[in-house]
Amino acid sequence: MSIAVCPGSFDPITLGHLDIVRRARRMFDVVVVGVARNASKNALLTPAERVELARTALAEDPATADVQVAEVPGLLVDFCRQVRAVAVVKGLRGGADFDSELPMALMNRHLTGGSTGIETVFVPGDPGYAHVASSLVKDVARFGGPIDDLVPPGVADAVHAALAR
Ligand code: PNS
């Protein structure tokens, strides 16, 4: 049984994320979405909120209904070992994503001992979502713009509530 982890901040989960998880699920028997902490970002939503929003969104689509969602409490590679993942799946919207993802993939490879470790699989994102980034979604929402067509149902309300706190 092949197990993959789709990691990310998911602050919040977007339609672009859902596309990548759906496609990861076609490649692997089991997919676990890992809601992790990116030390270079200040999260708007709490980890519990991000987990819950991802869980709800994935449960609504039959193609991802069996995908599990969990918080990654520390290093991604430790989480991957814990769930016995053979791969980390990440989406790439373009070259900028590759530039930021490659060092992380190489660091994870280093931490898992090189060739015997967990492989990172890059999936080219759907071009229709190339502009959809959680950071931009929050920015649009912060200044009163519409985000309902960029995120799964319920997420826009959660973002607006978090912005109002
Ligand atoms: O959605 P993001 O912010 O691009 O995802 C990056 C994330 C959260 C997957 C990455 O920062 C991560 O793996 N964080 C967990 C802690 C860790 O393992 N850090 C070392 C990564 S090389």
Side-chain angles (χ1 to χ4, degrees):
M1 195 170 64
S2 61
I3 304 173
V5 169
C6 288
S9 307
F10 301 104
D11 185 45
I13 191 162
T14 68
L15 297 186
H17 289 130
L18 288 184
D19 171 57
I20 298 301
V21 176
R22 203 177 297 123
R23 289 159 64 194
R25 180 61 188 83
R26 273 195 227 126
M27 291 189 283
F28 295 92
D29 300 315
V30 173
V31 170
V32 183
V33 164
V35 177
R37 180 162 175 261
N38 184 334
S40 61
K41 294 178 181 171
N42 279 324
L44 171 69
L45 301 162
T46 66
E49 287 170 332
R50 289 182 271 147
V51 166
E52 194 50 41
L53 291 172
R55 222 170 246 159
T56 303
L58 292 161
E60 277 169 8
D61 181 349
T64 54
D66 65 354
V67 169
Q68 301 154 40
V69 183
E71 189 179 338
V72 177
L75 278 178
L76 177 60
V77 290
D78 290 338
F79 180 80
C80 288
R81 281 197 200 101
Q82 194 192 317
V83 301
R84 300 186 183 285
V86 295
V88 166
V89 178
K90 274 284 218 167
L92 297 180
R93 284 164 299 200
D97 278 355
F98 181 75
D99 288 346
S100 61
E101 292 295 341
L102 183 62
M104 289 197 268
L106 292 175
M107 179 56 79
N108 288 335
R109 187 168 192 269
H110 168 84
L111 293 171
T112 52
S115 59
T116 58
I118 300 144
E119 294 292 349
T120 296
V121 176
F122 289 133
V123 175
D126 182 329
Y129 298 129
H131 58 298
V132 182
S134 299
S135 54
L136 288 180
V137 163
K138 285 178 284 189
D139 212 35
V140 171
R142 189 170 280 121
F143 295 105
I147 59 166
D148 298 80
D149 52 352
L150 305 172
V151 293
V155 170
D157 286 347
V159 168
H160 286 126
L163 286 169
R165 313 201 259 256

PDB file of all heavy atoms in Angstrom, residues 68-102:
ATOM      1  N   GLN A  68      -7.120  11.523   4.727  1.00  0.00           N
ATOM      2  CA  GLN A  68      -7.055  11.925   6.131  1.00  0.00           C
ATOM      3  C   GLN A  68      -6.373  13.283   6.263  1.00  0.00           C
ATOM      4  O   GLN A  68      -5.567  13.641   5.409  1.00  0.00           O
ATOM      5  CB  GLN A  68      -6.248  10.885   6.922  1.00  0.00           C
ATOM      6  CG  GLN A  68      -6.827   9.481   6.853  1.00  0.00           C
ATOM      7  CD  GLN A  68      -5.757   8.414   7.068  1.00  0.00           C
ATOM      8  OE1 GLN A  68      -4.887   8.575   7.908  1.00  0.00           O
ATOM      9  NE2 GLN A  68      -5.834   7.345   6.290  1.00  0.00           N
ATOM     10  N   VAL A  69      -6.704  13.987   7.322  1.00  0.00           N
ATOM     11  CA  VAL A  69      -6.073  15.289   7.581  1.00  0.00           C
ATOM     12  C   VAL A  69      -5.538  15.278   9.006  1.00  0.00           C
ATOM     13  O   VAL A  69      -6.244  14.876   9.930  1.00  0.00           O
ATOM     14  CB  VAL A  69      -7.080  16.453   7.428  1.00  0.00           C
ATOM     15  CG1 VAL A  69      -6.377  17.797   7.620  1.00  0.00           C
ATOM     16  CG2 VAL A  69      -7.763  16.409   6.067  1.00  0.00           C
ATOM     17  N   ALA A  70      -4.291  15.687   9.157  1.00  0.00           N
ATOM     18  CA  ALA A  70      -3.706  15.724  10.501  1.00  0.00           C
ATOM     19  C   ALA A  70      -2.766  16.907  10.609  1.00  0.00           C
ATOM     20  O   ALA A  70      -2.234  17.387   9.600  1.00  0.00           O
ATOM     21  CB  ALA A  70      -2.935  14.435  10.773  1.00  0.00           C
ATOM     22  N   GLU A  71      -2.568  17.346  11.834  1.00  0.00           N
ATOM     23  CA  GLU A  71      -1.614  18.421  12.067  1.00  0.00           C
ATOM     24  C   GLU A  71      -0.211  17.819  12.128  1.00  0.00           C
ATOM     25  O   GLU A  71      -0.012  16.748  12.706  1.00  0.00           O
ATOM     26  CB  GLU A  71      -1.963  19.134  13.378  1.00  0.00           C
ATOM     27  CG  GLU A  71      -1.158  20.384  13.595  1.00  0.00           C
ATOM     28  CD  GLU A  71      -1.531  21.093  14.897  1.00  0.00           C
ATOM     29  OE1 GLU A  71      -2.647  20.874  15.420  1.00  0.00           O
ATOM     30  OE2 GLU A  71      -0.682  21.853  15.382  1.00  0.00           O
ATOM     31  N   VAL A  72       0.729  18.512  11.520  1.00  0.00           N
ATOM     32  CA  VAL A  72       2.139  18.092  11.587  1.00  0.00           C
ATOM     33  C   VAL A  72       2.753  18.864  12.752  1.00  0.00           C
ATOM     34  O   VAL A  72       2.940  20.082  12.658  1.00  0.00           O
ATOM     35  CB  VAL A  72       2.869  18.426  10.261  1.00  0.00           C
ATOM     36  CG1 VAL A  72       4.344  18.065  10.348  1.00  0.00           C
ATOM     37  CG2 VAL A  72       2.196  17.715   9.090  1.00  0.00           C
ATOM     38  N   PRO A  73       3.064  18.179  13.847  1.00  0.00           N
ATOM     39  CA  PRO A  73       3.496  18.922  15.029  1.00  0.00           C
ATOM     40  C   PRO A  73       4.930  19.425  14.976  1.00  0.00           C
ATOM     41  O   PRO A  73       5.291  20.354  15.683  1.00  0.00           O
ATOM     42  CB  PRO A  73       3.314  17.904  16.169  1.00  0.00           C
ATOM     43  CG  PRO A  73       3.358  16.573  15.518  1.00  0.00           C
ATOM     44  CD  PRO A  73       2.968  16.730  14.089  1.00  0.00           C
ATOM     45  N   GLY A  74       5.748  18.816  14.126  1.00  0.00           N
ATOM     46  CA  GLY A  74       7.167  19.214  14.093  1.00  0.00           C
ATOM     47  C   GLY A  74       7.693  19.116  12.683  1.00  0.00           C
ATOM     48  O   GLY A  74       7.133  19.709  11.751  1.00  0.00           O
ATOM     49  N   LEU A  75       8.779  18.372  12.527  1.00  0.00           N
ATOM     50  CA  LEU A  75       9.370  18.212  11.197  1.00  0.00           C
ATOM     51  C   LEU A  75       8.481  17.352  10.302  1.00  0.00           C
ATOM     52  O   LEU A  75       7.945  16.319  10.731  1.00  0.00           O
ATOM     53  CB  LEU A  75      10.733  17.530  11.302  1.00  0.00           C
ATOM     54  CG  LEU A  75      11.949  18.380  11.663  1.00  0.00           C
ATOM     55  CD1 LEU A  75      13.185  17.491  11.750  1.00  0.00           C
ATOM     56  CD2 LEU A  75      12.160  19.511  10.668  1.00  0.00           C
ATOM     57  N   LEU A  76       8.391  17.774   9.050  1.00  0.00           N
ATOM     58  CA  LEU A  76       7.588  17.024   8.083  1.00  0.00           C
ATOM     59  C   LEU A  76       8.112  15.591   7.912  1.00  0.00           C
ATOM     60  O   LEU A  76       7.334  14.645   7.830  1.00  0.00           O
ATOM     61  CB  LEU A  76       7.598  17.758   6.735  1.00  0.00           C
ATOM     62  CG  LEU A  76       6.874  17.066   5.599  1.00  0.00           C
ATOM     63  CD1 LEU A  76       5.398  16.866   5.920  1.00  0.00           C
ATOM     64  CD2 LEU A  76       7.045  17.837   4.305  1.00  0.00           C
ATOM     65  N   VAL A  77       9.428  15.435   7.893  1.00  0.00           N
ATOM     66  CA  VAL A  77       9.968  14.086   7.665  1.00  0.00           C
ATOM     67  C   VAL A  77       9.619  13.146   8.822  1.00  0.00           C
ATOM     68  O   VAL A  77       9.406  11.944   8.607  1.00  0.00           O
ATOM     69  CB  VAL A  77      11.497  14.101   7.411  1.00  0.00           C
ATOM     70  CG1 VAL A  77      11.814  14.728   6.067  1.00  0.00           C
ATOM     71  CG2 VAL A  77      12.249  14.769   8.529  1.00  0.00           C
ATOM     72  N   ASP A  78       9.548  13.676  10.042  1.00  0.00           N
ATOM     73  CA  ASP A  78       9.166  12.829  11.186  1.00  0.00           C
ATOM     74  C   ASP A  78       7.713  12.381  11.043  1.00  0.00           C
ATOM     75  O   ASP A  78       7.365  11.230  11.326  1.00  0.00           O
ATOM     76  CB  ASP A  78       9.348  13.595  12.510  1.00  0.00           C
ATOM     77  CG  ASP A  78      10.816  13.817  12.832  1.00  0.00           C
ATOM     78  OD1 ASP A  78      11.652  13.062  12.302  1.00  0.00           O
ATOM     79  OD2 ASP A  78      11.118  14.752  13.601  1.00  0.00           O
ATOM     80  N   PHE A  79       6.878  13.315  10.595  1.00  0.00           N
ATOM     81  CA  PHE A  79       5.458  12.988  10.367  1.00  0.00           C
ATOM     82  C   PHE A  79       5.342  11.915   9.274  1.00  0.00           C
ATOM     83  O   PHE A  79       4.573  10.960   9.406  1.00  0.00           O
ATOM     84  CB  PHE A  79       4.709  14.260   9.965  1.00  0.00           C
ATOM     85  CG  PHE A  79       3.253  14.058   9.695  1.00  0.00           C
ATOM     86  CD1 PHE A  79       2.335  13.966  10.733  1.00  0.00           C
ATOM     87  CD2 PHE A  79       2.784  13.964   8.391  1.00  0.00           C
ATOM     88  CE1 PHE A  79       0.982  13.787  10.474  1.00  0.00           C
ATOM     89  CE2 PHE A  79       1.439  13.779   8.121  1.00  0.00           C
ATOM     90  CZ  PHE A  79       0.537  13.690   9.175  1.00  0.00           C
ATOM     91  N   CYS A  80       6.123  12.083   8.210  1.00  0.00           N
ATOM     92  CA  CYS A  80       6.079  11.111   7.095  1.00  0.00           C
ATOM     93  C   CYS A  80       6.490   9.727   7.579  1.00  0.00           C
ATOM     94  O   CYS A  80       5.866   8.725   7.217  1.00  0.00           O
ATOM     95  CB  CYS A  80       6.997  11.565   5.955  1.00  0.00           C
ATOM     96  SG  CYS A  80       6.347  12.982   5.060  1.00  0.00           S
ATOM     97  N   ARG A  81       7.526   9.674   8.405  1.00  0.00           N
ATOM     98  CA  ARG A  81       7.968   8.374   8.947  1.00  0.00           C
ATOM     99  C   ARG A  81       6.855   7.764   9.799  1.00  0.00           C
ATOM    100  O   ARG A  81       6.569   6.576   9.710  1.00  0.00           O
ATOM    101  CB  ARG A  81       9.214   8.559   9.818  1.00  0.00           C
ATOM    102  CG  ARG A  81      10.487   8.700   9.039  1.00  0.00           C
ATOM    103  CD  ARG A  81      11.691   8.457   9.963  1.00  0.00           C
ATOM    104  NE  ARG A  81      12.888   9.029   9.371  1.00  0.00           N
ATOM    105  CZ  ARG A  81      13.415  10.196   9.741  1.00  0.00           C
ATOM    106  NH1 ARG A  81      12.861  10.918  10.686  1.00  0.00           N
ATOM    107  NH2 ARG A  81      14.502  10.639   9.155  1.00  0.00           N
ATOM    108  N   GLN A  82       6.224   8.610  10.592  1.00  0.00           N
ATOM    109  CA  GLN A  82       5.169   8.149  11.507  1.00  0.00           C
ATOM    110  C   GLN A  82       4.006   7.521  10.749  1.00  0.00           C
ATOM    111  O   GLN A  82       3.467   6.494  11.167  1.00  0.00           O
ATOM    112  CB  GLN A  82       4.700   9.352  12.322  1.00  0.00           C
ATOM    113  CG  GLN A  82       3.869   9.045  13.530  1.00  0.00           C
ATOM    114  CD  GLN A  82       3.242  10.327  14.063  1.00  0.00           C
ATOM    115  OE1 GLN A  82       3.895  11.371  14.146  1.00  0.00           O
ATOM    116  NE2 GLN A  82       1.976  10.276  14.401  1.00  0.00           N
ATOM    117  N   VAL A  83       3.616   8.134   9.618  1.00  0.00           N
ATOM    118  CA  VAL A  83       2.471   7.600   8.866  1.00  0.00           C
ATOM    119  C   VAL A  83       2.934   6.629   7.761  1.00  0.00           C
ATOM    120  O   VAL A  83       2.134   6.144   6.989  1.00  0.00           O
ATOM    121  CB  VAL A  83       1.586   8.718   8.259  1.00  0.00           C
ATOM    122  CG1 VAL A  83       1.050   9.633   9.338  1.00  0.00           C
ATOM    123  CG2 VAL A  83       2.313   9.517   7.188  1.00  0.00           C
ATOM    124  N   ARG A  84       4.239   6.366   7.723  1.00  0.00           N
ATOM    125  CA  ARG A  84       4.842   5.424   6.751  1.00  0.00           C
ATOM    126  C   ARG A  84       4.654   5.870   5.300  1.00  0.00           C
ATOM    127  O   ARG A  84       4.377   5.059   4.408  1.00  0.00           O
ATOM    128  CB  ARG A  84       4.297   4.006   6.950  1.00  0.00           C
ATOM    129  CG  ARG A  84       4.571   3.442   8.329  1.00  0.00           C
ATOM    130  CD  ARG A  84       4.159   1.998   8.471  1.00  0.00           C
ATOM    131  NE  ARG A  84       4.375   1.512   9.822  1.00  0.00           N
ATOM    132  CZ  ARG A  84       5.557   1.196  10.347  1.00  0.00           C
ATOM    133  NH1 ARG A  84       6.648   1.327   9.618  1.00  0.00           N
ATOM    134  NH2 ARG A  84       5.664   0.779  11.586  1.00  0.00           N
ATOM    135  N   ALA A  85       4.788   7.167   5.089  1.00  0.00           N
ATOM    136  CA  ALA A  85       4.644   7.700   3.726  1.00  0.00           C
ATOM    137  C   ALA A  85       5.901   7.408   2.913  1.00  0.00           C
ATOM    138  O   ALA A  85       7.022   7.467   3.434  1.00  0.00           O
ATOM    139  CB  ALA A  85       4.395   9.204   3.776  1.00  0.00           C
ATOM    140  N   VAL A  86       5.708   7.104   1.634  1.00  0.00           N
ATOM    141  CA  VAL A  86       6.844   6.910   0.727  1.00  0.00           C
ATOM    142  C   VAL A  86       7.076   8.178  -0.104  1.00  0.00           C
ATOM    143  O   VAL A  86       8.080   8.285  -0.796  1.00  0.00           O
ATOM    144  CB  VAL A  86       6.623   5.705  -0.222  1.00  0.00           C
ATOM    145  CG1 VAL A  86       6.565   4.411   0.563  1.00  0.00           C
ATOM    146  CG2 VAL A  86       5.379   5.889  -1.082  1.00  0.00           C
ATOM    147  N   ALA A  87       6.139   9.097  -0.050  1.00  0.00           N
ATOM    148  CA  ALA A  87       6.264  10.298  -0.882  1.00  0.00           C
ATOM    149  C   ALA A  87       5.608  11.507  -0.237  1.00  0.00           C
ATOM    150  O   ALA A  87       4.644  11.385   0.527  1.00  0.00           O
ATOM    151  CB  ALA A  87       5.640  10.054  -2.257  1.00  0.00           C
ATOM    152  N   VAL A  88       6.173  12.661  -0.600  1.00  0.00           N
ATOM    153  CA  VAL A  88       5.573  13.955  -0.279  1.00  0.00           C
ATOM    154  C   VAL A  88       5.118  14.519  -1.621  1.00  0.00           C
ATOM    155  O   VAL A  88       5.899  14.550  -2.575  1.00  0.00           O
ATOM    156  CB  VAL A  88       6.628  14.898   0.353  1.00  0.00           C
ATOM    157  CG1 VAL A  88       6.135  16.332   0.374  1.00  0.00           C
ATOM    158  CG2 VAL A  88       6.989  14.428   1.753  1.00  0.00           C
ATOM    159  N   VAL A  89       3.874  14.928  -1.722  1.00  0.00           N
ATOM    160  CA  VAL A  89       3.363  15.476  -2.989  1.00  0.00           C
ATOM    161  C   VAL A  89       3.116  16.969  -2.822  1.00  0.00           C
ATOM    162  O   VAL A  89       2.415  17.395  -1.888  1.00  0.00           O
ATOM    163  CB  VAL A  89       2.061  14.772  -3.430  1.00  0.00           C
ATOM    164  CG1 VAL A  89       1.528  15.392  -4.719  1.00  0.00           C
ATOM    165  CG2 VAL A  89       2.289  13.278  -3.617  1.00  0.00           C
ATOM    166  N   LYS A  90       3.704  17.741  -3.722  1.00  0.00           N
ATOM    167  CA  LYS A  90       3.526  19.193  -3.706  1.00  0.00           C
ATOM    168  C   LYS A  90       3.146  19.686  -5.099  1.00  0.00           C
ATOM    169  O   LYS A  90       3.681  19.190  -6.096  1.00  0.00           O
ATOM    170  CB  LYS A  90       4.840  19.861  -3.285  1.00  0.00           C
ATOM    171  CG  LYS A  90       5.008  19.984  -1.779  1.00  0.00           C
ATOM    172  CD  LYS A  90       4.151  21.108  -1.237  1.00  0.00           C
ATOM    173  CE  LYS A  90       4.817  21.881  -0.131  1.00  0.00           C
ATOM    174  NZ  LYS A  90       4.120  23.128   0.161  1.00  0.00           N
ATOM    175  N   GLY A  91       2.287  20.672  -5.169  1.00  0.00           N
ATOM    176  CA  GLY A  91       1.907  21.263  -6.446  1.00  0.00           C
ATOM    177  C   GLY A  91       2.835  22.420  -6.785  1.00  0.00           C
ATOM    178  O   GLY A  91       3.317  23.127  -5.896  1.00  0.00           O
ATOM    179  N   LEU A  92       3.070  22.594  -8.073  1.00  0.00           N
ATOM    180  CA  LEU A  92       3.885  23.727  -8.545  1.00  0.00           C
ATOM    181  C   LEU A  92       3.046  24.587  -9.472  1.00  0.00           C
ATOM    182  O   LEU A  92       2.564  24.110 -10.503  1.00  0.00           O
ATOM    183  CB  LEU A  92       5.110  23.233  -9.314  1.00  0.00           C
ATOM    184  CG  LEU A  92       6.154  22.404  -8.574  1.00  0.00           C
ATOM    185  CD1 LEU A  92       7.282  22.037  -9.537  1.00  0.00           C
ATOM    186  CD2 LEU A  92       6.705  23.150  -7.372  1.00  0.00           C
ATOM    187  N   ARG A  93       2.870  25.855  -9.099  1.00  0.00           N
ATOM    188  CA  ARG A  93       2.133  26.777  -9.992  1.00  0.00           C
ATOM    189  C   ARG A  93       3.042  27.359 -11.049  1.00  0.00           C
ATOM    190  O   ARG A  93       2.587  27.799 -12.091  1.00  0.00           O
ATOM    191  CB  ARG A  93       1.508  27.902  -9.163  1.00  0.00           C
ATOM    192  CG  ARG A  93       0.279  27.489  -8.394  1.00  0.00           C
ATOM    193  CD  ARG A  93      -0.049  28.490  -7.317  1.00  0.00           C
ATOM    194  NE  ARG A  93       1.056  28.585  -6.376  1.00  0.00           N
ATOM    195  CZ  ARG A  93       0.963  29.052  -5.147  1.00  0.00           C
ATOM    196  NH1 ARG A  93      -0.194  29.506  -4.710  1.00  0.00           N
ATOM    197  NH2 ARG A  93       1.999  29.096  -4.346  1.00  0.00           N
ATOM    198  N   GLY A  94       4.333  27.387 -10.770  1.00  0.00           N
ATOM    199  CA  GLY A  94       5.274  27.981 -11.725  1.00  0.00           C
ATOM    200  C   GLY A  94       6.685  27.926 -11.167  1.00  0.00           C
ATOM    201  O   GLY A  94       6.951  27.247 -10.163  1.00  0.00           O
ATOM    202  N   GLY A  95       7.560  28.673 -11.825  1.00  0.00           N
ATOM    203  CA  GLY A  95       8.974  28.633 -11.465  1.00  0.00           C
ATOM    204  C   GLY A  95       9.259  29.111 -10.054  1.00  0.00           C
ATOM    205  O   GLY A  95      10.156  28.589  -9.385  1.00  0.00           O
ATOM    206  N   ALA A  96       8.497  30.096  -9.589  1.00  0.00           N
ATOM    207  CA  ALA A  96       8.738  30.616  -8.237  1.00  0.00           C
ATOM    208  C   ALA A  96       8.464  29.523  -7.204  1.00  0.00           C
ATOM    209  O   ALA A  96       9.180  29.401  -6.201  1.00  0.00           O
ATOM    210  CB  ALA A  96       7.854  31.834  -7.978  1.00  0.00           C
ATOM    211  N   ASP A  97       7.419  28.733  -7.448  1.00  0.00           N
ATOM    212  CA  ASP A  97       7.132  27.623  -6.532  1.00  0.00           C
ATOM    213  C   ASP A  97       8.284  26.620  -6.548  1.00  0.00           C
ATOM    214  O   ASP A  97       8.707  26.128  -5.504  1.00  0.00           O
ATOM    215  CB  ASP A  97       5.839  26.898  -6.936  1.00  0.00           C
ATOM    216  CG  ASP A  97       4.591  27.604  -6.426  1.00  0.00           C
ATOM    217  OD1 ASP A  97       4.732  28.590  -5.679  1.00  0.00           O
ATOM    218  OD2 ASP A  97       3.481  27.168  -6.777  1.00  0.00           O
ATOM    219  N   PHE A  98       8.771  26.325  -7.746  1.00  0.00           N
ATOM    220  CA  PHE A  98       9.883  25.369  -7.839  1.00  0.00           C
ATOM    221  C   PHE A  98      11.084  25.875  -7.047  1.00  0.00           C
ATOM    222  O   PHE A  98      11.713  25.119  -6.300  1.00  0.00           O
ATOM    223  CB  PHE A  98      10.262  25.128  -9.302  1.00  0.00           C
ATOM    224  CG  PHE A  98      11.383  24.137  -9.455  1.00  0.00           C
ATOM    225  CD1 PHE A  98      11.160  22.775  -9.269  1.00  0.00           C
ATOM    226  CD2 PHE A  98      12.663  24.560  -9.766  1.00  0.00           C
ATOM    227  CE1 PHE A  98      12.202  21.856  -9.383  1.00  0.00           C
ATOM    228  CE2 PHE A  98      13.706  23.649  -9.892  1.00  0.00           C
ATOM    229  CZ  PHE A  98      13.476  22.297  -9.703  1.00  0.00           C
ATOM    230  N   ASP A  99      11.371  27.177  -7.180  1.00  0.00           N
ATOM    231  CA  ASP A  99      12.524  27.749  -6.486  1.00  0.00           C
ATOM    232  C   ASP A  99      12.394  27.643  -4.970  1.00  0.00           C
ATOM    233  O   ASP A  99      13.394  27.483  -4.267  1.00  0.00           O
ATOM    234  CB  ASP A  99      12.703  29.224  -6.875  1.00  0.00           C
ATOM    235  CG  ASP A  99      13.228  29.366  -8.299  1.00  0.00           C
ATOM    236  OD1 ASP A  99      13.700  28.363  -8.863  1.00  0.00           O
ATOM    237  OD2 ASP A  99      13.143  30.477  -8.854  1.00  0.00           O
ATOM    238  N   SER A 100      11.171  27.754  -4.463  1.00  0.00           N
ATOM    239  CA  SER A 100      11.022  27.635  -3.012  1.00  0.00           C
ATOM    240  C   SER A 100      10.860  26.173  -2.564  1.00  0.00           C
ATOM    241  O   SER A 100      11.258  25.817  -1.457  1.00  0.00           O
ATOM    242  CB  SER A 100       9.854  28.487  -2.502  1.00  0.00           C
ATOM    243  OG  SER A 100       8.655  28.050  -3.081  1.00  0.00           O
ATOM    244  N   GLU A 101      10.309  25.350  -3.442  1.00  0.00           N
ATOM    245  CA  GLU A 101      10.068  23.951  -3.061  1.00  0.00           C
ATOM    246  C   GLU A 101      11.315  23.079  -3.150  1.00  0.00           C
ATOM    247  O   GLU A 101      11.474  22.140  -2.358  1.00  0.00           O
ATOM    248  CB  GLU A 101       8.975  23.332  -3.947  1.00  0.00           C
ATOM    249  CG  GLU A 101       7.579  23.911  -3.736  1.00  0.00           C
ATOM    250  CD  GLU A 101       7.011  23.645  -2.356  1.00  0.00           C
ATOM    251  OE1 GLU A 101       7.497  22.727  -1.663  1.00  0.00           O
ATOM    252  OE2 GLU A 101       6.086  24.360  -1.955  1.00  0.00           O
ATOM    253  N   LEU A 102      12.188  23.373  -4.124  1.00  0.00           N
ATOM    254  CA  LEU A 102      13.353  22.497  -4.313  1.00  0.00           C
ATOM    255  C   LEU A 102      14.251  22.434  -3.074  1.00  0.00           C
ATOM    256  O   LEU A 102      14.611  21.334  -2.642  1.00  0.00           O
ATOM    257  CB  LEU A 102      14.148  22.912  -5.558  1.00  0.00           C
ATOM    258  CG  LEU A 102      15.342  21.997  -5.862  1.00  0.00           C
ATOM    259  CD1 LEU A 102      14.889  20.559  -6.151  1.00  0.00           C
ATOM    260  CD2 LEU A 102      16.164  22.540  -7.012  1.00  0.00           C
TER     261      LEU A 102
END
